[in-house]
Amino acid sequence: MHRKEEAAGYERILDMDVKLGQVTIRNPKASLGELAKTFTFDAVYDASSKQADLYDETVRPLVDSVLQGFNGTMFAYGQTGTGKTYTMQGAWADSEKRGVIPNSFEHIFTHISRSQNQQYLVRASYLEIYQEEIRDLLAKDQSKKMELKENPETGVYIKDLSSFVTKNVKEIEHVMNLGNQNRSVGSTNMNEYSSRSHAIFVITVECSEIGPDGEDHIRVGKLNLVDLAGSERQSKMGIQGERPKEASKINLSLSALGNVISALVDGKSTHIPYRDSKLTRLLQDSLGGNAKTIMVATLGPASHSYDESLSTLRFANRAKNIKNKPRVNEDPKDTLLREFQEEIIRLKAQLEKRGMLSKKRRRNSRRKKTLDWEGTPEAEELEDNEDGGLEKNMKNYLKEQKERLEEEKAAIQDDHSLVNEDKQKLLEEKEKMIEELRKEQEATELLATKYKALFRWA
Ligand SMILES: Nc1ncnc2c1ncn2[C@@H]1O[C@H](COP(=O)(O)OP(=O)(O)O)[C@@H](O)[C@H]1O
Ligand SMILES: [Mg+2]
C-alpha cells in the first residue's frame, strides 16, 4: 500500500502466496457468505519481492530466448499507480531497484561479451501509442505521425521508425534516456499523460554464427518491452472537455487487447480482431503468434482498488490461456548484420582499388575466428590497418601525389622556353589536379571512416 493509503486507513484486500503463485482477493463490501477469490499464476510477487526476483525467475529466460533468435514480449498491465513503470524501468539510480529494461540491458551485453563464436548486432527503437497515434520517441521531429505498414514476409512494422545500433549498456541507456525525455515533452501533466499512453521499447538482436553446415547463419530475436496505459475504466477518470475522445481512444487499444485475448482463448473464434487497434496490430505476433510472451499484471492492494484489481486479475487469468507458437527466426531477409557485411565487402573493394589497404598475408587466421566470415578476411587486415596502416597508406599516397604536382608546378614556373600564356594554362591545369586530389582525399577518408565504423559492428 502507498503511504497515503495506509494513512487513510484502507484495509488490505490482497493476499499473495509467492510459493504457490496464488493471489486471493477479498471484496471489502462482501455480502454474507461471499467467498474470497483465488487466482493462480506462473509466478506471484508480493511487497517483499525484489526487482531481481522478477527478473531472474521470469524475465531472464525470455531474454535468453531472444538472444537465441526468438521473439519475446513483456507487457505490464494494470491500474495507474500500481507499478507498471516501476516494473519496467524502476529507479535507475539504485541498482537494487532497477527494473526489467535496465536489467535486460546488462543481461544482453554481458551475454554478448562472453560469447565466443557469434557476432551480435543490437539495435533499439522506442515508440509510444497515444490516442491511436504512433510517435517515434527517438525521432528528431516529434510531431511526425508514424504509419503502420504490412509486409507479407516480415509482418506489420512501423514505416521509417528510428533505430539505433548500440554496442554497450551505456549506449542503449542513452537511447532509452533520449526517448524518456521526448515522452515528457509536450505533456503538461506527465502522470496523466503516461497513464494514457502505451510505451514500447524494442530491442532487436541479430546474431551471426557458422552453422554445422559450415555456412554463416543469422538469427534475429526481437524483444518488445511494453508499458501499457492504465487499465482503469473511463468511469473513474472524471471526464470532461477533450477527455472523452481521448479516453475512448485509449480504451480502443486496451479494449482491443482485451478482445484479442478473449478471442484467442475462447476456442470458438475464427476471427481475432488484431486489426482493431494499433497496439494489437503491431504486437500481433506477441499474442497467439511467433513470440514468447510474458504479461505482468500489477495490482493495488487497498480496499478502494477492489474493482480494478479484480478486473486486472481476470484479465491476466484470461491472458494466461493463450498458446503462442514461437520459433527461432533464422536467416530472415533484410538483416542489418548481412547488410553491414556486404557493405564492408564493397567498401573494402573500393579502398583496395585506391591502393589504400595493405595486402598483407593472412596470418593468425585461426586466432580471430569470430570476426572472420567466409570470403571476408578483413579481420586481420583491419588489425594491421588499425595500427594506423590505413591512415599511413592514405597519407603517404596523397603526400607523394601532392609533392609530385608541386614539383611539376615549379618546373613549369622555371621553364623559360614557355610563353606566358601557355605557362598560365599549364599551371591552371596543375592547380586543377591538386584540387581533384583534395577531393579524392576527402572521398577516401569518408570511405575509410565508414569502413572502420562498420567494422566495429560487423
Ligand atoms: N514494487 C514497488 N516497490 C516500491 N515502490 C513501488 C513499487 N511499485 C510501484 N512503486 C511506486 O509507486 C508509484 C507508482 O508506480 P508506477 O510504476 O509509476 O505506476 P504505474 O506506472 O502503474 O502508473 C511510484 O512512485 C513507484 O515508485
Ligand atoms: Mg506508468
Side-chain angles (χ1 to χ4, degrees):
M1 282 203 266
H2 294 166
R3 237 169 270 144
K4 269 191 206 159
E5 289 170 335
E6 274 167 359
Y10 285 114
E11 328 160 53
R12 172 185 296 275
I13 52 158
L14 290 180
D15 258 316
M16 323 281 280
D17 189 323
V18 175
K19 280 216 175 75
L20 291 178
Q22 287 185 334
V23 183
T24 301
I25 186 166
R26 185 173 54 79
N27 185 352
K29 295 186 193 129
S31 47
L32 208 67
E34 187 181 330
L35 295 173
K37 296 176 181 69
T38 297
F39 296 83
T40 307
F41 299 100
D42 293 319
V44 158
Y45 300 91
D46 66 7
S48 64
S49 299
K50 299 265 173 280
Q51 294 272 33
D53 299 337
L54 169 76
Y55 194 82
D56 289 335
E57 186 183 15
T58 299
V59 188
R60 189 172 288 279
L62 180 78
V63 176
D64 279 330
S65 292
V66 170
L67 288 163
Q68 287 164 24
F70 287 96
N71 295 331
T73 296
M74 175 169 158
F75 290 107
Y77 179 94
Q79 184 187 2
T80 296
T82 52
K84 292 182 298 299
T85 304
Y86 186 85
T87 301
M88 298 310 293
Q89 303 208 34
W92 285 74
D94 185 341
S95 66
E96 264 212 5
K97 292 185 178 160
R98 295 180 136 215
V100 162
I101 292 175
N103 283 328
S104 74
F105 294 170
E106 286 290 343
H107 179 181
I108 288 168
F109 286 103
T110 302
H111 174 92
I112 291 174
S113 70
R114 287 180 187 157
S115 69
Q116 301 249 306
N117 301 310
Q118 297 91 12
Q119 294 175 273
Y120 285 94
L121 189 97
V122 178
R123 61 184 195 276
S125 300
Y126 198 4
L127 64 118
E128 177 179 76
I129 303 174
Y130 183 65
Q131 297 193 43
E132 286 303 289
E133 271 163 16
I134 299 171
R135 196 150 75 106
D136 181 350
L137 292 169
L138 304 178
K140 282 216 179 77
D141 177 9
Q142 284 292 306
S143 61
K144 199 174 157 208
K145 285 167 196 152
M146 311 302 288
E147 270 176 81
L148 278 181
K149 294 268 172 196
E150 204 155 345
N151 177 317
E153 287 216 14
T154 50
V156 177
Y157 66 97
I158 300 170
K159 190 171 170 276
D160 300 329
L161 181 71
S162 313
S163 83
F164 285 94
V165 175
T166 55
K167 61 175 197 308
N168 54 41
V169 172
K170 223 175 130 202
E171 286 184 3
I172 198 164
E173 276 182 2
H174 179 73
V175 169
M176 169 112 236
N177 289 337
L178 199 82
N180 281 343
Q181 276 161 28
N182 282 332
R183 267 202 100 184
S184 42
V185 167
S187 62
T188 42
N189 181 343
M190 183 54 195
N191 222 16
E192 199 174 273
Y193 182 79
S194 75
S195 74
R196 287 167 164 72
S197 64
H198 311 278
I200 310 179
F201 194 83
V202 188
I203 307 174
T204 306
V205 182
E206 294 184 4
C207 173
S208 125
E209 186 175 11
I210 308 286
D213 58 358
E215 301 278 320
D216 183 37
H217 293 282
I218 295 183
R219 285 166 294 158
V220 182
K222 196 171 176 187
L223 178 63
N224 299 297
L225 298 164
V226 190
D227 189 345
L228 291 168
S231 60
E232 54 275 6
R233 270 163 295 170
Q234 214 167 309
S235 59
K236 265 201 173 176
M237 294 204 285
I239 295 151
Q240 26 169 272
E242 259 297 294
R243 296 263 188 76
K245 182 175 138 224
E246 188 183 315
S248 67
K249 276 196 172 174
I250 286 150
N251 280 352
L252 190 65
S253 264
L254 262 194
S255 60
L257 178 64
N259 293 339
V260 164
I261 291 172
S262 298
L264 281 168
V265 298
D266 81 355
K268 290 182 289 248
S269 303
T270 48
H271 171 72
I272 312 295
Y274 292 114
R275 302 187 71 88
D276 284 4
S277 80
K278 297 265 161 71
L279 181 78
T280 49
R281 272 193 82 191
L282 187 62
L283 297 174
Q284 174 163 348
D285 251 343
S286 311
L287 303 156
N290 173 26
K292 299 193 180 187
T293 298
I294 294 169
M295 179 170 286
V296 171
T298 57
L299 299 165
S303 53
H304 67 117
S305 298
Y306 174 73
D307 289 343
E308 291 302 338
S309 290
L310 180 60
S311 106
T312 298
L313 284 164
R314 286 186 167 142
F315 188 94
N317 202 46
R318 267 200 305 278
K320 188 174 81 172
N321 295 313
I322 298 177
K323 294 268 183 292
N324 282 11
K325 302 174 256 327
R327 58 181 145 72
V328 170
N329 306 304
E330 185 151 326
D331 294 323
K333 278 192 181 159
D334 309 326
T335 62
L336 203 56
L337 205 48
R338 188 70 78 217
E339 203 179 293
F340 279 10
Q341 288 171 347
E342 282 164 5
E343 179 75 358
I344 283 181
I345 293 170
R346 253 195 319 274
L347 288 170
K348 189 190 164 228
Q350 286 184 46
L351 284 166
E352 248 168 21
K353 218 162 94 190
R354 286 166 190 244
M356 292 303 146
L357 280 182
S358 47
K359 294 216 173 115
K360 282 196 189 162
R361 280 279 186 79
R362 294 180 59 186
R363 48 186 173 85
N364 308 331
S365 64
R366 235 159 286 140
R367 191 165 59 91
K368 267 275 171 185
K369 193 138 191 158
T370 50
L371 274 174
D372 200 4
W373 326 287
E374 212 189 348
T376 53
E378 302 93 327
E380 304 94 57
E381 285 190 35
L382 191 85
E383 271 192 322
D384 294 338
N385 286 311
E386 256 174 356
D387 325 315
L390 182 55
E391 269 90 15
K392 225 189 318 181
N393 283 345
M394 239 160 60
K395 265 204 198 101
N396 285 345
Y397 170 77
L398 292 161
K399 205 171 135 223
E400 279 164 25
Q401 295 292 307
K402 194 150 184 239
E403 275 169 9
R404 189 176 57 80
L405 285 166
E406 292 292 348
E407 270 168 29
E408 284 170 8
K409 249 173 83 181
I412 294 166
Q413 292 276 21
D414 293 343
D415 191 341
H416 298 294
S417 68
L418 286 168
V419 289
N420 253 347
E421 206 174 296
D422 288 346
K423 212 180 226 181
Q424 213 47 49
K425 232 186 200 158
L426 283 167
L427 282 173
E428 270 168 25
E429 247 166 50
K430 293 291 166 201
E431 281 296 338
K432 226 173 166 178
M433 284 166 83
I434 290 174
E435 174 60 18
E436 258 153 33
L437 189 66
R438 200 186 53 74
K439 278 189 192 147
E440 189 186 326
Q441 177 180 7
E442 274 177 15
T444 309
E445 268 168 13
L446 206 71
L447 274 177
T449 312
K450 246 171 125 179
Y451 179 69
K452 289 191 130 182
L454 277 176
F455 215 92
R456 284 165 61 220
W457 308 123

